Amino acid sequence: MAQTQLEGWLLPENEYSEPLLEGIGAQFARSPVDMLLFPSGWQGAELATRLAYRLQGEAWGAVSEASFAQQVVRKSAYGGALVAALRLQNKPWCLSVAAAPGAKTWQPEIEYCQIPVAEQRPAWLVESAAIEDETASGLAEASLVLAVGRGVGSPQAMAQVEDIALGLGMETGASREAVMHAWCSMDKLLGMSGTQVAADVCIAAGVSGAPAFISGIAHSRFIVAINHDPQAAIFRHADVGIVDDLLPVLTELQNCVREDI
C-alpha cells in the first residue's frame, strides 16, 4: 500500500463556521483528500459534520484513534464503558478528534498551507452576539480537583465541601447527580457531557464511579476515592481508597494541611 501523505490546512480564527466551510470546500476541490481531521471542541465537530454532508462523505465525532490502512476509527461509547471500532465507508472521512486532557500536542513535520477565508458573516445571519460566561470555573486547567457526587447529600453539605476545597487550593467538580440536584452550578459538571480534567491530584468524594463520570477524571495522575460503601465502583479507579463518610475525612484533611502550614 502506498505511504500515507499528510497535508496541513491552516484556517484563521472565525466565530462563524460558514466561511470556514466554504474555504475548506474550495481547498478540497483543488486538492481532494480521503480523510480530514478536525480539532476537538464544538466547532471542530460542527465543521466535520457539515462538510461531510456537503461532500457526501462520512463524519464521526470525538474520535480517539484512526487507522487509514484499516479504514477504522475508534471512539468512546456508552459513557466511556467501552471503545467502539467503526468501519469507514464513504469518502471523504471527516473526523473530529476527542479531547484528551494532559496530552501532548501532535504536530507532524509537514508543509502547511493557509486557506483563504472570507471574514464577513454569512448573508443569512441577521445578527449574533457573544455572551461571556462570567461564572465559568477554572476546572479544566486545575491541577488539584475535589470531585463530589450524590453522596454529599445536600446543598448545605455541598457548601461545606466548596469551603474545604477553597482552603485546600482545589477546584470543585461534581457528578451529574449533584449538578441535577442543583447543589452546584452546571460549569462544575465532570464527565462525558461535562469537563474532562487531567489533575495532578483528584479527590473523588461520595461518587459511585459510573463510567460517564470516570471519563471526566481518568486522565488525572493520582486519584483518591472516599465512599462509605466498600463495594463502590470508584475504588477500582483509585490509587488510594478511604471507606468513610466524606465530610469527616475532608475536614480532617483540611486540619492536617493547616497544621503543616
Side-chain angles (χ1 to χ4, degrees):
M1 180 175 290
Q3 184 178 4
T4 302
Q5 295 183 344
L6 299 176
E7 296 181 12
W9 297 355
L10 298 178
L11 294 168
E13 291 188 10
N14 196 314
E15 61 181 313
Y16 306 114
S17 295
E18 187 66 26
L20 299 178
L21 285 168
E22 293 178 358
I24 299 171
Q27 177 66 21
F28 182 85
R30 293 188 294 268
S31 177
V33 294
D34 293 323
M35 178 187 294
L36 296 101
L37 293 177
F38 293 87
S40 61
W42 69 268
Q43 193 168 49
E46 179 183 348
L47 291 173
T49 303
R50 294 179 62 187
L51 185 67
Y53 177 80
R54 294 187 180 194
L55 301 179
Q56 298 183 331
E58 185 173 346
W60 289 101
V63 169
S64 58
E65 183 181 342
S67 171
F68 183 81
Q70 298 177 358
Q71 299 186 15
V72 169
V73 295
R74 290 178 171 82
K75 60 174 293 179
S76 179
Y78 291 103
L82 57 82
V83 175
L86 307 165
R87 178 73 63 183
L88 296 171
Q89 298 182 28
N90 301 323
K91 297 179 182 179
W93 306 316
C94 302
L95 314 174
S96 65
V97 301
K104 294 182 179 179
T105 301
W106 177 61
Q107 190 167 357
E109 296 182 358
I110 57 177
E111 292 188 5
Y112 293 86
C113 66
Q114 188 75 44
I115 298 179
V117 172
E119 295 184 2
Q120 71 271 19
R121 66 187 182 191
W124 48 262
L125 183 61
V126 177
E127 184 179 354
S128 67
I131 301 175
E132 295 291 337
D133 186 1
E134 297 180 354
T135 64
S137 68
L139 191 57
E141 297 80 25
S143 60
L144 302 174
V145 173
L146 175 53
V148 294
R150 183 173 54 186
V152 72
S154 69
Q156 293 77 19
M158 185 69 196
Q160 287 182 262
V161 169
E162 290 180 326
D163 287 341
I164 292 173
L166 184 62
L168 295 173
M170 307 182 79
E171 285 287 344
T172 307
S175 69
R176 175 164 291 279
E177 290 86 349
V179 171
M180 291 296 101
H181 278 85
W183 294 338
C184 60
S185 58
M186 193 69 185
D187 65 303
K188 300 291 187 181
L189 178 63
L190 289 166
M192 285 292 291
S193 54
T195 301
Q196 296 181 343
V197 299
D200 291 332
V201 177
C202 176
I203 300 177
V207 177
S208 62
F213 171 81
I214 293 299
S215 66
I217 67 170
H219 295 284
S220 298
R221 294 177 60 187
F222 195 85
I223 298 175
V224 179
I226 306 171
N227 199 299
H228 62 77
D229 179 8
Q231 304 301 319
I234 187 65
F235 289 121
R236 296 200 296 268
H237 306 276
D239 298 286
V240 172
I242 302 173
V243 181
D244 204 338
D245 292 330
L246 63 92
L247 276 177
V249 175
L250 293 176
T251 301
E252 186 61 29
L253 174 61
Q254 186 180 36
N255 293 336
C256 291
V257 171
R258 285 174 176 171
E259 290 176 3
D260 289 342
I261 294 175

